[in-house]
Amino acid sequence: MSGTDAKGWDRQQMADRLAQEFQDGWIVNLGVGIPTLCSNTDIGDRDILYHAENGVIGYGPVLPAGAEDLHLVNAGGQNVSLRPGAAIVHHADSFGIIRSGRIDVTVMGAYEVSAGGDFANWKVGRAKGGGIGGAMDLAACAKRVFIILEHTTRKGEPRLVPHCALPVTARGVVTLVATNYGLFAPTGEGFAVRELAPGISFEAAQAATGAPLTQGR
């Protein structure tokens, strides 16, 4: 199987696998895009408090059409449910939680992640517009930064790279990356393979990765 033919996990499975890393009692910020799918994961008896920067604290799964409250959305604009004890707070209060260091992990999407733990998620090349927004606060203040992204671009180019070519959001903060190919940890020189998705060989993962892979945690 070549790197371009490999499929691995779908987006919900990527989110499910990363959510298994959340520990009991954590406050977990979920960014827009694939990270929002983590709130759909069955977390068993763990007490996880999902935080959205728009001020929804303690929310649950995204609701299907017809069951949603159109006034209740997460940071990605998706209609979500509320868990017991949830709260709706002012945007400033939500950022007060972030900036005071209470977020145990933030899960964000990205365009690239480097072997050194840098990530780029706010601007593509020379495209006009774009803004870092709350990502800079989360990257600076959260205790951990996890990233979810597709392993390659639509052109088949690697997103896990030795050094980010795109404008960097933050440097040296990423500890864990989930892609459709598996779970990876930046090591400085490359990425350690924590787990490969079903049907993905080490060779296929390496062929689709711009930096060296190593086995192990």
Side-chain angles (χ1 to χ4, degrees):
M1 178 183 291
S2 70
T4 54
D5 293 333
K7 299 296 183 182
W9 291 322
D10 63 27
R11 291 189 168 196
Q12 184 61 62
Q13 289 170 326
M14 291 158 61
D16 290 344
R17 178 59 189 86
L18 194 58
Q20 297 309 312
E21 300 296 311
F22 302 160
Q23 301 301 306
D24 187 49
W26 276 12
I27 300 175
V28 177
N29 169 271
L30 299 178
V32 300
I34 306 174
T36 62
L37 298 176
C38 290
S39 72
N40 295 337
T41 302
D42 182 358
I43 57 174
D45 59 358
R46 285 174 292 163
D47 181 17
I48 305 295
L49 187 71
Y50 288 120
H51 169 283
E53 63 184 78
N54 65 325
V56 183
I57 315 298
Y59 69 95
V62 176
L63 292 172
E68 71 273 31
D69 179 344
L70 298 179
H71 300 288
L72 182 62
V73 297
N74 61 17
Q78 298 167 302
N79 298 109
V80 293
S81 57
L82 294 181
R83 296 184 185 274
I88 309 297
V89 304
H90 191 280
H91 195 77
D93 294 317
S94 180
F95 270 82
I97 295 171
I98 295 170
R99 292 170 181 169
S100 61
R102 289 178 167 83
I103 302 296
D104 290 289
V105 64
T106 178
V107 182
M108 289 190 273
Y111 301 121
E112 292 179 328
V113 180
S114 81
D118 310 338
F119 75 102
N121 78 341
W122 69 279
K123 192 175 182 67
V124 179
R126 297 180 180 178
K128 294 183 178 180
I132 291 179
M136 63 179 181
D137 297 89
L138 288 159
C141 300
K143 297 173 185 175
R144 302 165 186 82
V145 176
F146 291 174
I147 299 293
I148 300 184
L149 74 170
E150 299 286 347
H151 203 90
T152 61
T153 67
R154 293 179 181 178
K155 295 181 179 180
E157 298 170 346
R159 293 186 186 273
L160 304 190
V161 293
H163 306 283
C164 290
L166 297 174
V168 170
T169 305
R171 296 192 183 278
V173 297
V174 178
T175 55
L176 200 58
V177 183
T179 78
N180 50 313
Y181 281 33
L183 198 65
F184 306 87
T187 64
E189 300 297 324
F191 294 86
V193 178
R194 290 273 303 275
E195 181 180 333
L196 290 173
I200 304 296
S201 67
F202 183 89
E203 292 74 22
Q206 180 62 84
T209 305
L213 296 181
T214 56
Q215 298 278 11
R217 304 183 71 83

